[in-house]
Amino acid sequence: MSFIIGSCEKWFPGFIRREYTRNLQDGHGDYYACFIHGLRVIQGRSLYFQCVMSDDAVAGAGFLAPIEAFCWKIPVAPRTKGVPVDMTYIQPWDNFSSTFGVHEFDFHRRMKALILPDRIPARYRFSIDFEGSALSEYGEQHKHLHVMEMENGQIGAFPNNRIIWCDPAFWEPMTERPDFIALAGEYMAE
């Protein structure tokens, strides 16, 4: 059974860029406060968030928009109308399947991280894992996405190979890219 919509592990406050509530025609630089509480996940597309507005002018209205429409704090500079969004620091890969699960890893709860390639500071929210498609079931390419709040206000979804986890109580973050090669083959107990 495919799941296209689901709940975030925990709802959280954020902002939706007003231009996304206006079909990108106007409203650039304006934001509505909201509570992000759900997901829409369709294979081959961007992650979508479901929100309920909490701004007085639109309080109680629900809205569904792609991840690039949302931020957890208002950025210093708004996006310019007509300039395409650079997805490098929002969601570098489309969803791998419409069948997914959401989980918050206790170990990473609110942990800080650096998002590659430019080591942008971020904080962990929750993770999404996929199954049921050829790509999600192919071991060398399987990726789950970690939803992160970046220092610049954006919300992004990144696989492990785009994240350096930071916990100074246990380790100092590496400065060089690790010398890893994707694990090939399938492993079974029998």
Side-chain angles (χ1 to χ4, degrees):
M1 178 169 148
S2 290
F3 298 95
I4 295 176
I5 61 171
S7 293
C8 297
E9 184 70 11
K10 294 181 178 139
W11 59 267
F12 58 100
F15 297 89
I16 185 169
R17 298 168 193 278
R18 187 167 180 261
E19 66 261 30
Y20 284 87
T21 69
R22 302 279 308 143
N23 197 30
L24 304 176
Q25 295 173 16
D26 55 42
H28 292 75
D30 294 330
Y31 301 84
Y32 289 129
C34 65
F35 292 102
I36 300 166
H37 64 88
L39 303 167
R40 184 170 190 228
V41 180
I42 298 175
Q43 183 176 343
R45 295 194 188 165
S46 291
L47 181 64
Y48 273 62
F49 287 133
Q50 176 72 42
C51 72
V52 172
M53 311 289 185
S54 56
D55 253 308
D56 289 341
V58 290
F63 207 82
L64 181 70
I67 189 171
E68 61 263 27
F70 293 90
C71 46
W72 69 275
K73 69 178 183 179
I74 296 176
V76 175
R79 292 194 187 131
T80 306
K81 183 177 180 178
V83 175
V85 175
D86 178 4
M87 296 299 285
T88 302
Y89 289 107
I90 297 175
Q91 185 181 349
W93 285 277
D94 286 333
N95 299 321
F96 290 89
S97 175
S98 297
T99 305
F100 67 98
V102 178
H103 181 73
E104 181 183 33
F105 287 107
D106 286 339
F107 184 77
H108 292 311
R109 183 172 287 139
R110 310 297 283 160
M111 185 181 276
K112 292 182 179 181
L114 300 171
I115 306 300
L116 299 174
D118 295 329
R119 302 172 72 90
I120 294 177
R123 185 176 53 209
Y124 175 78
R125 267 282 170 194
F126 60 89
S127 300
I128 302 167
D129 198 15
F130 305 96
E131 68 95 19
S133 72
L135 190 57
S136 68
E137 301 296 324
Y138 181 54
E140 291 179 52
Q141 291 299 314
H142 178 88
K143 292 171 179 61
H144 49 272
L145 299 177
H146 302 288
V147 174
M148 310 289 284
E149 296 174 338
M150 290 178 288
E151 185 179 72
N152 62 10
Q154 293 193 148
I155 298 171
F158 307 98
N160 283 332
N161 64 358
R162 286 289 186 101
I163 300 171
I164 296 174
W165 299 101
C166 303
D167 192 334
F170 292 107
W171 63 83
E172 287 296 320
M174 67 184 108
T175 57
E176 301 294 320
R177 182 180 174 146
D179 186 22
F180 293 161
I181 297 173
L183 187 60
E186 293 182 11
Y187 297 85
M188 293 170 241
E190 294 183 30

